[in-house]
């Protein structure tokens, strides 16, 4: 019998991409995963899960650009995985992350069947980095917007991940919210904190430490706008919504960097079979790969024998011996994200560079949850005392 | 063996165990695995020390039986708790932590990993008492504490409902409810009572110990005597309870406050109907 645990697998079936974003940290190659290769990888993942008594698998399909493999490939992949998982009584959920550029109506059936009629995509506003080779970010925006409209016309729900940049900070949270929610009609948005993926002199490097105070203010302003306007209209902005759920004692889908240790819950596998902590590591930091699953008899052997993975596992232990143990939000964070830490400090054994931002957000959403609970009680009391309620 | 008693038994003494409730003590993960292959009828939980050696062996352990991990050196070994957190998806896990200097960090980390805690409150000196007060405060008011910390939880529940309670029972040290079995198979009193071997007339011996619960001196004037029954006067009867009584006072005040809040909530809910 399986336990209640879940594994999240970030699967990169292709390392090719049709875009050339200046901040991209992926080392893009022409590698693609064959269905036969997929069968081998999935069988090893499921075998590992059965051994660890993990009951459900969430597969995040990413690239490169995931849609550069044809929809028929996904049809076959979904079937293959479904059969193998059913044989081990493991539940599987598929989620697709795409830049949408290759989307066309031929995708509709598989998106409905396999991905619950939902696609996750990236959208920065204003766009400084997302572009096609030799073309401008503005050109990319036009293409992306067209694809967004087409997908929506087919009934597909598009959720976006957005990475604030210097221009985002310059326009401020109000304008950002207005564009995404009011103008584009998006209601499921995830804000990610940026980290430098390229070399130090790379023009595509995202905002750095100098902007952390502004970024913190942007997050706080956006959270306040969402609390005031978006929440009641059904708009969800991660991670604010998850934090509000958490502090309101509701089940909360917190991001991977808030939890006891992402290493226990998540792995990434690329088209060549390389296994690493997540997509941020698997192509761009070869020294931190855990191994190659095509070259290992079992995933358990690969993971248990990996010195790199041990470093990830031990990270919270190091941090708990230092500042994090005294943090009032330790239950939420445990030191934050290894890749963000590594990108800023060059080693894993430091606290997340966004520690101050996290704490400020935790406090803000904790206060908001308390305030909303108080309002609810006050509202009920007022209703009981109103003469109208006496007539009811 | 006496009916109604939970026995703490080393794994080596399990052969022929006849089904009484039993807590099985093992030394390492190999011991856990052996017991889990054929768990005895009446198994309450397994008990294993959490040390740098055993924590290292835990990676990949997914046995299905409830485990109580005992952290002997909480001030230094608290980061080992990270090794226990992946297990909570598979079986109940609890951490037993002695109240010694520096134990507060272990409690902080355990509750932040959603691991229930059982405190072994011996006769703590001033520093651990201060930490105990801080732990209680987090338990009562911390927005991120969602797991029980015993004996606070048990005492708070009883005070809240106005029910009688026994700290000896909540702390799993009541000889009428818990006994030890040593490596030679001999039945003994709980460690708090000195772990003395029970003579043939074991029940009388336990009864004599129980008679001493009422205590004397400080206990007679203590508002918590009914539930505490002299718990903190063991093993040293001269131990001063000034600090402990402050902690119990705060627990009792919190119960009063909570009771008032719940009454107000009930009133509000009734008004909605
Ligand atoms: S779409 Fe993604 S993978 Fe492709 S270049 Fe842009 S960031 Fe890199
Ligand atoms: S390294 Fe960071 S982004 Fe990657 S899985 Fe861990 S927490 Fe998430
Ligand atoms: S918010 Fe900062 S101090 Fe607190 S656990 Fe996270 S990284 Fe550590
Ligand atoms: S708290 Fe101390 S004084 Fe009070 S009953 Fe318990 S042991 Fe006696």
């Amino acid at each position: 019998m399986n336990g209640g645990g879940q594994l999240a697998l970030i699967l990169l079936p292709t390392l090719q991409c049709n875009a050339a974003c200046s901040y991209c940290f992926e080392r893009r190659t022409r590698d693609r995963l064959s269905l036969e290769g997929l069968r081998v990888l999935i069988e090893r993942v499921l075998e590992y899960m059965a051994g660890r008594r993990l009951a459900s698998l969430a597969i995040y399909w990413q690239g490169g650009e995931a849609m550069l493999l044809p929809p028929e490939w996904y049809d076959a992949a979904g079937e293959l995985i479904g059969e193998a998982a059913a044989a081990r009584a493991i539940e599987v959920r598929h989620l697709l992350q795409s830049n949408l550029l290759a989307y066309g109506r031929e995708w509709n059936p598989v998106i409905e069947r396999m991905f619950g009629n939902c696609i996750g995509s990236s959208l920065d506003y204003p766009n400084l980095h997302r572009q096609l080779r030799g073309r401008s970010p503005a050109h990319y925006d036009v293409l992306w917007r067209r694809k967004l409209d087409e997908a929506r016309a087919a009934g597909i729900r598009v959720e976006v991940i957005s990475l604030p940049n210097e221009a985002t900070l310059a326009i401020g949270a109000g304008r950002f919210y207005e564009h995404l929610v009011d103008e584009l009609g998006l209601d499921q948005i995830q804000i990610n904190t940026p980290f430098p993926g390229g070399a130090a002199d790379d023009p595509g490097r995202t905002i750095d430490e100098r902007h952390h105070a502004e970024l913190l203010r942007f997050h706080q302003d956006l959270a306040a706008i969402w609390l005031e306007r978006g929440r009641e209209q059904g708009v969800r902005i991660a991670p604010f919504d998850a934090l509000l759920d958490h502090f309101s004692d509701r089940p909360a889908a917190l991001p991977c960097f808030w939890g006891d240790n992402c290493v226990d819950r998540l792995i990434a596998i690329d088209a060549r079979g390389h296994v690493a902590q997540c997509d941020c590591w698997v192509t761009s930091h070869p020294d931190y790969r855990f191994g190659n699953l095509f070259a290992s008899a079992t995933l358990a052997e690969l993971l248990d024998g990996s010195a790199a993975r041990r470093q990830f596992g031990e990270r919270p232990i190091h941090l708990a011996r230092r500042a994090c143990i005294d943090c009032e939000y330790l239950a939420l964070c445990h030191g934050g994200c290894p890749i963000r830490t590594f990108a800023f400090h060059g080693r894993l054994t430091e606290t997340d560079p966004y520690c101050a931002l996290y704490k400020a957000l935790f406090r803000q959403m904790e206060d908001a949850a308390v305030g909303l609970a108080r309002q609810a009680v006050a509202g009920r009391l007022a209703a009981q005392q109103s003469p109208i309620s006496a007539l009811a | 063996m006496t009916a109604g008693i939970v026995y703490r038994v080393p794994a080596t003494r399990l052969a022929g165990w006849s089904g009484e409730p039993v807590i099985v003590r093992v030394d390492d993960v190999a011991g856990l695995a052996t017991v889990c292959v054929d768990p005895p009828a009446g198994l309450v939980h397994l008990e294993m020390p959490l040390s740098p050696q055993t924590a290292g062996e835990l990676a990949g352990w997914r046995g299905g039986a409830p485990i109580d991990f005992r952290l002997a050196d909480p001030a230094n070994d608290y980061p080992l708790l990270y090794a226990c957190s992946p297990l909570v998806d598979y079986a109940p896990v609890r951490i037993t932590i002695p109240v010694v200097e520096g134990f507060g960090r272990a409690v902080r980390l355990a509750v932040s990993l959603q691991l229930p805690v059982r405190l072994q409150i011996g006769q703590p000196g001033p520093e651990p008492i201060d930490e105990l007060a801080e732990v209680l405060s987090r338990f009562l008011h911390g927005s991120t504490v969602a797991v029980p910390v015993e004996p606070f939880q048990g005492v708070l529940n009883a005070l809240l409902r106005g029910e009688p309670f026994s700290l000896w029972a909540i702390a799993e040290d009541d000889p009428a409810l818990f006994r030890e079995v040593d490596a030679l198979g001999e039945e003994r009193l709980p460690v708090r009572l000195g772990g003395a071997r029970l003579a043939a007339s074991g029940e009388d011996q336990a009864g004599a110990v129980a008679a001493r619960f009422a205590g004397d001196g400080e206990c007679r004037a203590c508002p918590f005597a009914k539930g505490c029954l002299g718990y903190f006067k063991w093993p040293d009867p001269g131990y001063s309870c000034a600090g402990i009584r402050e902690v119990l006072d705060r627990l009792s005040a919190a119960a009063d406050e909570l009771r008032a809040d719940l009454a107000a909530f009930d009133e509000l809910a009734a008004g909605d109907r």
Side-chain angles (χ1 to χ4, degrees), chain A residues 203-348:
Chain A
R205 274 171 75 90
T206 53
I207 54 183
D208 57 28
E209 284 105 322
R210 286 169 301 159
H211 296 95
H212 278 196
E214 286 169 75
L215 193 65
L216 192 157
R217 201 169 330 114
F218 173 82
H219 274 78
Q220 288 185 307
D221 292 349
L222 189 61
I225 294 168
W226 173 72
L227 283 165
E228 198 186 303
R229 291 175 52 194
R231 194 181 58 87
E232 295 215 311
Q233 294 166 359
V235 175
R236 295 199 61 98
I237 301 188
F240 315 137
D241 53 354
L243 286 177
L244 191 67
D245 286 342
H246 174 85
F247 287 115
S248 306
D249 280 333
R250 293 189 293 262
L254 292 163
C256 52
F257 45 84
W258 292 335
D260 45 3
N261 197 344
C262 60
V263 80
D264 294 323
R265 319 257 171 216
L266 203 140
I267 51 166
I269 306 180
D270 77 7
R272 294 162 297 186
H274 292 313
V275 180
Q277 183 47 47
C278 68
D279 52 314
C280 308
W281 295 93
V282 73
T283 64
S284 35
H285 296 285
D287 294 348
Y288 284 84
R289 282 185 197 136
F290 302 159
N292 189 298
L293 194 49
F294 287 128
S296 305
T298 69
L299 181 56
E301 186 183 293
L302 182 155
L303 296 179
D304 294 346
S306 162
R309 187 165 183 265
R310 247 191 313 282
Q311 290 186 54
F312 284 84
E314 286 166 4
R315 180 172 177 268
I317 298 175
H318 286 290
L319 300 180
R321 292 207 182 277
R322 289 149 53 184
C324 292
I325 190 66
D326 294 319
C327 174
E328 59 184 309
Y329 297 108
L330 180 65
L332 264 170
C333 178
H334 294 278
C337 169
I339 186 65
R340 285 169 175 78
T341 303
F342 187 80
F344 280 93
H345 298 292
R347 57 184 174 276
L348 291 173

Side-chain angles (χ1 to χ4, degrees), chain B residues 129-190:
Chain B
I129 284 277
D130 286 349
E131 285 185 60
L132 195 62
E134 204 241 295
V135 164
L136 174 63
S137 163
R138 269 186 192 246
F139 168 72
L140 292 172
H141 308 296
S143 62
T144 51
V145 179
V147 288
V149 176
E150 295 291 7
F152 296 153
Q153 181 81 42
V155 174
L156 186 69
N157 283 347
L159 290 172
L160 205 52
R161 298 194 198 109
E163 288 171 357
F165 68 93
S166 155
L167 197 53
W168 289 90
I170 293 171
E172 300 174 16
D173 285 323
D174 184 342
L177 300 173
F178 296 91
R179 300 270 170 84
E180 305 283 320
V181 171
D182 67 16
L184 300 173
E186 302 284 356
E187 193 174 334
R188 290 175 176 271
L189 287 174

Side-chain angles (χ1 to χ4, degrees), chain A residues 52 326 334 366 380 384, chain B residues 82 90 108 143 268 272:
Chain A
R52 296 285 152 106
D326 294 319
H334 294 278
E366 185 176 20
R380 285 169 69 182
Q384 285 173 18
Chain B
Y82 277 107
Y90 302 92
R108 209 175 301 149
S143 62
L268 183 63
D272 281 348

